[in-house]
Structures are given as C-alpha cells and as structure tokens.
Amino acid sequence: MGDDLGDEWWQHEGASEEEEETEQEKQPTEKTKAKPEKRKRITEKTVKSKKKKKSEQAECIIPQKKETEDEKSTKPKKKRKKKKTITDVLATSEPKPGCPADLQNLITQHFSDKRSVIEQEELKLQDSSFLSSNDLTHSLSSYLKQVCPKWAKIQKQHTEKSSVVLLIICSSALRTIELIKQLTTFKGEAKIAKLFAKHIKIEEQVKLLQKGVTHIGVGTPGRISALIEKEGLNLQALRYLVLDWNWRDQKLRRMVDIPEIKLDFIKLLESGILNGCKEDKVKIGLF
C-alpha cells in the first residue's frame, strides 16, 4: 500500500490539516477587509440616492413653478372695489330740490349727540318759518321776486347801518360773485355787500358796513359768523335768509356736504337766526 501511494498517508493528512487551518485564518481577515469596502459602497449608494432624490425633487418643483406662473397668467385678476364717493352717488342720481325737511334733518343730526331731547325739541322750526323752496326752475332774481314780492317797499324802509334785510349764504367767494351778478334784475336801488374772507380783511368789511346802509349781504357762513362775533354785523333788521342749497360744485357737493362749511353754517344759525325764526321775524328760503 505504501509503495503504491508513493508517500506516507499520515504526512498527507497533516499537510491537509495545516492547509485547512491557514485557510480558516485567512477567511476572517478577508471578511474584515471586505467590511469597509461594503461600507464605502453603502455610503456611495446613499449619497447617490440622495442626489437622485434631490434632482427628482428639483425636477418636480420646477414644473410646479411653471404651472403656478401659467395659472397666474391665465387667471383673471380680481379688481378691487372702489368705495363710492359723494360724486359717484350723485352722478348716477337725479338732482332733487331741497325742502324745509332737509334743513330740519341737518340740524337734528348735528345736535343729536350734543343736546338733550328737550333742547332738540326747542331747535325744531315751524313750517311758517320757511319760504317756498326753489324747484330748480328759477334764477336767483326770479326766486327772490317770488318770495319777496314787496322788496321795493322793504328796501326803502331799511335805514339801519351795520345790518342787512336780506342775507344770502353760499359756499365760496367765487359763488358769491356769481350770485351778486344774478341780482341785477331784483335789487333795484339796494346796496350789496360782499361778505367773504378771500382778499378782504374783516376790518375793512366792518368799516364798509358802518359807513352806510346796506340792504343785501352775500357771502360765506364763516365770514358772516365772524362779523357777527365782532359786532360788525347785527341781525336786528334781518327778515330773509336765503340758502344757496341746491347749487353743487365740480365734485357735485352742496354747501352742506362740505364739512367745514357745514359747521360754520350751523354756528351761524345758532348766532341768533334760529331765535329770529321762532319769534317769526326771520324767514328761511332754500334756493
């Protein structure tokens, strides 16, 4: 048997055992070497996967932006609703002539939170305190001829200085001049005073009223109130108060629609005109 095999069988067994041991020792080292390589591969894979995800997200986001831009361009823009002003409302509505109830409502609304209920009742004017109102067909002269038919006699009887028989209230100096021009066919021999603040000092107006007899005063409520306070103008001879009620400016505002003029006007009414109406000495007309 030994001759046939060539070498001894036990030597071969020992060598095979040694080879197995060396192979077993090599295997863990190879495994340990393989581990970091696997880790590197894993990290590379995760980085690549993250990059892919980011690129996919970017690809997903870009078309969304385009869609939103396209949607914005295609969608109709919402228009903001503009608040309606007085001019917008009045431009679409037909002008209505003023009436005594309008003036009465103005007075009650102004004093509603400033006076007691009893005091508000005292401010109410009777129907007899009003002249007939303009129906928007009259000029100033034709209206005054209607409400003051005995003007020629009244103006002759008036002899007091620093006072007027007829007082016309309007919103501005320019409107004052326009109204004075319209008085040519009505005034007769009556003298007219311009009672507004523009380019005229109050001291000059006081001197003019004190010099001679003035029958008609035309002006703004602010300046007329100031003249009454300075005793440059008194209301003892006043019989007619005509309000330029229906006239509107470029913005379609009436005299009482302008806050400053409205306050001056109510102040003027409180200065003695309302008391004169209650005593049946003064008549109010809405032109």
Side-chain angles (χ1 to χ4, degrees):
M1 290 292 289
D3 294 329
D4 294 333
L5 296 168
D7 292 324
E8 288 78 9
W9 60 270
W10 60 87
Q11 289 179 354
H12 288 288
E13 285 178 357
S16 62
E17 287 175 0
E18 286 176 1
E19 287 175 0
E20 285 177 2
E21 285 176 2
T22 53
E23 284 177 0
Q24 285 176 0
E25 286 174 1
K26 285 179 182 179
Q27 281 176 359
T29 55
E30 287 174 358
K31 285 179 182 178
T32 52
K33 287 180 181 177
K35 280 180 183 179
E37 287 178 0
K38 284 182 181 178
R39 285 179 186 175
K40 284 180 183 179
R41 287 175 186 173
I42 291 161
T43 52
E44 285 175 0
K45 284 180 182 178
T46 53
V47 171
K48 285 179 181 178
S49 62
K50 284 180 181 179
K51 284 180 179 180
K52 282 182 181 179
K53 283 180 182 178
K54 284 181 181 178
S55 61
E56 285 173 2
Q57 285 176 358
E59 286 174 0
C60 294
I61 291 163
I62 291 161
Q64 282 179 2
K65 285 181 181 177
K66 285 180 181 178
E67 285 175 6
T68 52
E69 286 173 2
D70 294 334
E71 284 173 4
K72 285 179 182 177
S73 61
T74 53
K75 282 182 181 178
K77 291 181 180 179
K78 291 181 180 179
K79 291 182 180 179
R80 290 182 181 178
K81 291 182 179 179
K82 291 182 180 179
K83 290 182 179 179
K84 287 186 178 181
T85 59
I86 295 170
T87 53
D88 295 331
V89 174
L90 293 172
T92 54
S93 61
E94 292 181 3
K96 293 180 181 178
C99 61
D102 295 335
L103 177 59
Q104 193 66 63
N105 290 333
L106 178 73
I107 294 166
T108 52
Q109 283 175 10
H110 180 76
F111 291 109
S112 60
D113 57 345
K114 295 169 186 169
R115 301 283 178 92
S116 64
V117 177
I118 297 165
E119 287 174 335
Q120 287 179 38
E121 287 292 327
E122 290 175 357
L123 291 170
K124 285 185 178 179
L125 299 171
Q126 296 179 356
D127 294 338
S128 59
S129 300
F130 292 95
L131 301 165
S132 60
S133 300
N134 179 22
D135 58 359
L136 304 180
T137 60
H138 286 284
S139 65
L140 182 58
S141 289
S142 65
Y143 174 71
L144 291 173
K145 284 176 182 178
Q146 182 184 342
V147 297
C148 308
K150 297 179 181 179
W151 174 249
K153 186 180 177 181
I154 291 166
Q155 73 169 17
K156 285 178 182 178
Q157 291 175 349
H158 177 60
T159 56
E160 291 182 25
K161 293 179 181 180
S162 300
S163 65
V164 293
V165 180
L166 171 61
L167 195 57
I168 301 170
I169 310 297
C170 60
S171 59
S172 65
L174 290 171
R175 182 61 180 163
T176 301
I177 293 163
E178 286 176 14
L179 291 173
I180 288 169
K181 288 176 181 178
Q182 292 179 28
L183 288 169
T184 50
T185 57
F186 169 78
K187 67 175 184 175
E189 296 177 359
K191 289 185 179 180
I192 302 171
K194 299 173 188 176
L195 305 177
F196 54 79
K198 194 173 184 180
H199 305 307
I200 303 173
K201 292 180 180 179
I202 193 166
E203 291 79 13
E204 291 177 7
Q205 289 173 337
V206 170
K207 286 177 183 178
L208 287 169
L209 290 166
Q210 288 174 349
K211 273 184 182 180
V213 178
T214 308
H215 302 86
I216 303 170
V218 187
T220 56
R223 177 46 64 93
I224 293 166
S225 296
L227 286 165
I228 292 166
E229 284 179 2
K230 291 202 169 187
E231 298 182 353
L233 177 68
N234 66 68
L235 304 174
Q236 291 176 1
L238 183 65
R239 292 186 65 177
Y240 302 104
L241 178 72
V242 175
L243 309 176
D244 189 26
W245 189 272
N246 297 304
W247 183 81
R248 298 179 187 276
D249 62 8
Q250 290 180 350
K251 295 181 180 179
L252 300 176
R253 298 176 300 177
R254 298 172 302 169
M255 175 177 68
V256 291
D257 293 328
I258 302 165
E260 298 85 5
I261 296 169
K262 178 184 169 183
L263 290 172
D264 290 337
F265 171 62
I266 290 168
K267 186 181 177 182
L268 176 61
L269 291 177
E270 286 185 290
S271 64
I273 290 169
L274 290 175
N275 290 331
C277 291
K278 287 176 186 177
E279 293 171 2
D280 204 22
K281 290 180 181 178
V282 181
K283 304 285 183 183
I284 299 175
L286 275 65
F287 170 65

